[in-house]
Amino acid sequence: MVLADGNTTVEVNGIALDLSVRGRGKPLLFLHPEIGFDRAGPALDLLAKGAQIIAPTHPAYGAAKAPDTFNTIDDIAYLYLDLVEKLGLSNVALVGAGIGGWIAAEMAIKDRAPFSHLVLADAFGIKNGGREDRDIFDMWFVTDADLAKVQYFDQKLLERDISKLSDDELYAMARAREATSRYGWKPYMHHPKLKGRLHRIKTPTLVLWGAEDRIVPPEYGRAYAAALPNATFETIDRAGHFPHVERADEFARATLNFIKG
Amino acid sequence: MRVFHFTEQPYSPAWVDHGGALRITIPNKRMDPIQAGDLLHRYYDEWQLADELGFDIMVNEHHSTATCMASTVVVTLSILARITKKARLLVLGYPLAHRPDPNRIVEELSTIDVISRGRLNMGFVKGVPSEFAPSNANPVGTEERFWEALDFIVKAMTTHDGPFNWESENFHFRQVNIWPRPVQTPHPPIWSTTGSKHNAQRLGERGYTMATLGTGYGTRPLYEAYREAYRNKFKSEAPAERFGYLGLMAVGRTEAEARRRGELVADYLRTLPFTPAPFRNPPGYISIDDNVRLMKAAGRPPNRSITKDGRAINMMTGSVQDLIDAAMLFCGTPDQVYDQITDFCESCGGMGNLLSMSHAGFMSHEDVVENLTLFSQEVLPRLKEYRQPDARAAAE
């Protein structure tokens, strides 16, 4: 299936998936984080200089109605494996940020064959500490304003006047908040079995982390990398939980360098 | 009309110097368990008195809060089932969406129905938003889990021929077989609450009793939505007994005495803001549309308590007079209170169950006894005789 640049809808298993496609070359499946597509723009354009970016909107994050039965990350992981098959993709660079990184890891433990490289940026999905350790910042029990302060290193990015946002932007925010809870409320933003299955991912993996991430701090990323058999860990300075937003240039450079190798 | 005595069983000693948080995050070192026991014994004494005076009884539960010590309403119901004699025992509500195990709920409530000799009214609610923190149930899917749990409860209470199977996305039980089964047939009456017409319709279609809180003179449209759905389904008019309304109650021998009690009981509403902001709107509890509306309103939900002359008041900050005007509070001498209640009832087109919060906050035992006793002597007999308006005639 040939994909043209731009936004398109592909039906997989009867589910309509919105894809954003841009660039030429090696296919790079980009899985957006829990804030949705909202601020992924600059990073994708930079990545598109070295790869063909295919970026789906996760079910329940977009305007399309998600199947009622979709409530685990596994549901999305299997759907995207079917998407890769339907598009006839191979030698794919699989890149996921935040909850997208969790989806990517769940895909790769199931079937790593289509993927040449894996990039996990500030990914959720595993539990490292003991039962009384809060590994992952509790995102829903702070106000939106306080959450943003924890998400971003550059506090200028917080200066967003809600009253100036369009309805589309407000709906995207509201959907993203609900969708993330749908998939990640309990167990909180992780799958208790995932860490024990990561050994299956022999794919070369870059675990890329915002040095100032306070949602899932860098030590969480180091533990992720340690549980993967073929992973390297890198941080990006002056970036919080969304390095692809705060340091799009660095994020794209590190990712493209890695997938070239 | 039936009148239910209700208190949230507050731990009022912690209502001072709480720094803005009475719920969810308030540390329990702020409670003296001995004093809590004294208060709880007092509340049971007052319910026993209410039973003797001819009231019915309403109870509820909340979690991680100094405003309501009933963290498991099954305990409250169990005690009342044994120590009261005549009163209907209404739980409003049992928070279904916070609970993982409806099978256990059926076992608890059936047992309570048996011990109370068939006096249980089962009011089910989804659960308040902030309490998804203590329950850790996913606020997404609340609506579906609520209705499915209700279906399960009805099925379990009405199946008498041995085990049945129930396997769904939400619940997995393969050998459901309830012992003991409830006394009331086919099952104890089901109640719920609502603030939306959509939900009112769903309740009307099922013929469950519907109660509202804080809707004041804006109640009628919700009742009408129920009545229409009920009429379509059952081909008859919904009786007044299908409607309930929660009002605060302060009666006194003089107006001044009643107003003093009104101030005390209104403290219940005034604690509503003391839920820390991060816990008020968990993701998925309200719809995406409502969330967008809330963002546009900068997080402030609209006032929905309506006075008789159409004024929207904030029930958390309104004066006693505002609350009286909005039928949030019935307050005055017995004659005044009777007139306020029946006037409100006419405006609803009939309402058969007054859920009367006759105690809140710092109100003393003596005040509660007097509030209940005076009401039972001077108002309750007249309300029992009160002839409900004809809903269809009143609508025209």
Side-chain angles (χ1 to χ4, degrees):
Chain A
M1 190 169 170
V2 180
L3 286 171
D5 267 20
N7 297 323
T8 182
T9 302
V10 173
E11 199 175 293
V12 183
N13 306 335
I15 298 163
L17 272 178
D18 290 328
L19 302 183
S20 176
V21 180
R22 59 191 95 166
R24 303 258 173 290
K26 181 181 177 68
L28 186 158
L29 189 63
F30 180 85
L31 305 182
H32 67 73
E34 59 278 11
I35 47 174
F37 244 145
D38 198 17
R39 301 182 191 188
L44 291 197
D45 285 336
L46 292 167
L47 288 170
K49 291 179 179 170
Q52 183 190 33
I53 311 304
I54 303 162
T57 300
H58 311 327
Y61 283 80
K65 188 174 163 17
D68 289 338
T69 53
F70 264 50
N71 54 18
T72 66
I73 293 297
D74 261 359
D75 294 322
I76 309 179
Y78 281 110
L79 180 71
Y80 286 174
L81 287 170
D82 289 343
L83 169 72
V84 167
E85 192 175 310
K86 173 150 187 167
L87 297 178
L89 301 176
S90 58
N91 215 25
V92 178
L94 178 58
V95 180
I99 202 170
W102 180 8
I103 299 167
E106 294 279 6
M107 291 168 71
I109 60 169
K110 293 168 178 55
D111 183 3
R112 66 178 184 271
F115 307 114
S116 63
H117 299 80
L118 176 63
V119 179
L120 302 179
D122 303 77
F124 297 100
I126 60 173
K127 168 90 182 153
N128 296 313
R131 63 187 183 186
E132 293 183 27
D133 295 318
R134 203 187 286 277
D135 291 338
I136 302 168
F137 183 82
D138 203 333
M139 297 186 285
W140 290 303
F141 291 137
V142 291
T143 60
D144 289 350
D146 286 341
L147 176 59
K149 283 181 200 156
V150 178
Q151 284 171 322
Y152 295 99
F153 170 75
D154 180 356
Q155 302 286 308
K156 276 207 301 290
L157 284 164
L158 308 177
E159 292 164 10
R160 207 154 79 132
D161 184 352
I162 293 256
S163 67
K164 295 208 168 67
L165 295 181
S166 69
D167 270 17
D168 281 354
E169 288 168 307
L170 291 173
Y171 269 91
M173 285 171 68
R175 277 193 211 103
R177 186 166 180 265
E178 176 174 320
T180 304
S181 176
R182 172 197 277 244
Y183 298 115
W185 183 271
K186 189 167 76 175
Y188 179 56
M189 296 306 283
H190 73 282
H191 187 313
K193 303 283 189 191
L194 177 59
K195 197 173 180 185
R197 295 170 181 169
L198 290 177
H199 66 89
R200 293 175 50 79
I201 306 178
K202 299 184 176 64
T203 316
T205 302
L206 173 63
V207 178
L208 191 55
W209 227 261
E212 309 293 335
D213 189 341
R214 286 183 286 159
I215 301 285
V216 271
E219 50 268 32
Y220 183 97
R222 280 193 194 91
Y224 226 127
L228 288 157
N230 194 5
T232 53
F233 178 77
E234 280 181 28
T235 56
I236 295 180
D237 289 344
R238 289 178 287 121
H241 181 59
F242 302 115
H244 69 292
V245 175
E246 294 197 74
R247 300 290 311 280
D249 49 349
E250 267 305 296
F251 178 86
R253 189 197 55 73
T255 300
L256 290 176
N257 270 352
F258 177 69
I259 68 174
K260 252 185 256 161
Chain B
M1 188 184 297
R2 287 182 170 274
V3 183
F4 294 71
H5 166 49
F6 172 52
T7 171
E8 279 215 316
Q9 309 176 60
Y11 185 76
S12 49
W15 288 24
V16 287
D17 305 326
H18 52 71
L22 274 178
R23 298 182 179 83
I24 311 300
T25 57
I26 182 171
N28 65 17
K29 69 182 174 198
R30 295 289 317 277
M31 162 181 279
D32 171 5
I34 304 298
Q35 204 173 355
D38 292 344
L39 281 168
L40 286 169
H41 279 283
R42 187 196 125 185
Y43 300 148
Y44 285 107
D45 290 344
E46 290 164 4
W47 271 316
Q48 267 187 300
L49 173 67
D51 180 40
E52 289 160 13
L53 294 174
F55 288 90
D56 296 296
I57 288 173
M58 169 173 155
V59 297
N60 72 342
E61 75 172 47
H62 282 293
H63 301 265
S64 303
T65 176
T67 62
C68 173
M69 284 192 284
S71 57
T72 162
V73 76
V74 168
V75 170
T76 315
L77 286 170
S78 305
I79 295 170
L80 291 174
R82 175 68 177 154
I83 67 171
T84 60
K85 300 283 189 289
K86 300 187 302 266
R88 298 292 304 175
L89 304 176
L90 165 66
V91 46
L92 197 64
Y94 201 118
L96 289 189
H98 290 309
R99 289 297 159 78
D101 186 347
N103 192 61
R104 178 79 179 187
I105 294 171
V106 180
E107 292 177 329
E108 292 165 351
L109 294 181
S110 298
T111 309
I112 288 161
D113 199 46
V114 168
I115 294 173
S116 70
R117 310 263 184 218
R119 290 186 286 127
L120 178 65
N121 290 349
M122 306 188 295
F124 296 114
V125 295
K126 296 181 189 83
V128 295
S130 61
E131 291 173 19
F132 287 90
S135 79
N136 206 29
N138 194 335
V140 178
T142 294
E143 186 85 10
E144 293 75 14
R145 284 202 311 280
F146 172 82
W147 289 104
E148 192 192 330
L150 203 46
D151 287 343
F152 177 91
I153 289 165
V154 170
K155 167 93 178 172
M157 284 190 167
T158 54
T159 298
H160 308 304
D161 304 317
F164 68 89
N165 191 69
W166 190 288
E167 291 169 285
S168 69
E169 184 78 23
N170 293 314
F171 305 117
H172 296 263
F173 300 100
R174 289 180 295 138
Q175 304 289 341
V176 183
N177 186 23
I178 300 304
W179 279 76
R181 67 182 169 98
V183 172
Q184 298 177 86
T185 54
H187 53 73
I190 293 175
W191 290 47
S192 191
T193 56
T194 193
S196 78
K197 287 185 189 177
H198 170 71
N199 228 9
Q201 284 161 356
R202 288 189 84 163
L203 294 170
E205 283 163 11
R206 292 174 176 234
Y208 297 156
T209 301
M210 180 180 85
T212 67
L213 151 71
T215 47
Y217 279 88
T219 303
R220 179 93 191 215
L222 296 171
Y223 282 16
E224 289 305 327
Y226 180 105
R227 287 189 177 108
E228 188 184 343
Y230 186 98
R231 204 178 291 131
N232 290 339
K233 178 69 190 284
F234 298 102
K235 311 296 173 207
S236 67
E237 206 54 31
E241 294 71 50
R242 290 291 184 277
F243 300 99
Y245 181 75
L246 179 76
L248 280 57
M249 185 65 64
V251 61
R253 292 190 187 281
T254 63
E255 203 173 334
E257 186 182 51
R259 293 274 167 151
R260 183 181 61 78
R261 287 195 185 116
E263 287 290 347
L264 288 168
V265 78
D267 274 348
Y268 161 67
L269 300 172
R270 291 164 187 161
T271 65
L272 293 176
F274 301 126
T275 302
F279 300 97
R280 290 178 201 159
N281 182 26
Y285 184 80
I286 62 172
S287 70
I288 303 241
D289 287 338
D290 285 342
N291 267 305
V292 169
R293 277 193 277 274
L294 198 60
M295 281 194 273
K296 286 180 173 175
R300 284 186 292 275
N303 295 329
R304 62 188 183 94
S305 304
I306 311 294
T307 63
K308 195 174 180 184
D309 54 8
R311 196 160 47 94
I313 65 146
N314 183 329
M315 67 176 173
M316 296 182 270
T317 56
S319 67
V320 159
Q321 189 59 52
D322 284 339
L323 298 175
I324 295 171
D325 292 345
M328 295 287 305
L329 167 65
F330 302 108
C331 176
T333 63
D335 284 347
Q336 288 173 322
V337 162
Y338 177 80
D339 289 344
Q340 289 164 10
I341 293 169
T342 52
D343 190 59
F344 173 72
C345 191
E346 302 287 329
S347 86
C348 295
M351 184 276 292
N353 300 284
L354 178 62
L355 314 176
S356 168
M357 185 178 247
S358 326
H359 164 259
F362 299 100
M363 197 187 259
S364 70
H365 177 64
E366 292 67 29
D367 269 324
V368 177
V369 169
E370 178 65 8
N371 205 14
L372 291 173
T373 305
L374 188 58
F375 189 95
S376 74
Q377 290 166 348
E378 304 287 337
V379 187
L380 192 55
R382 294 158 72 186
L383 288 177
K384 295 219 179 209
E385 294 302 311
Y386 172 71
R387 203 183 133 92
Q388 292 283 342
D390 179 331
R392 290 200 113 160
E396 283 153 14

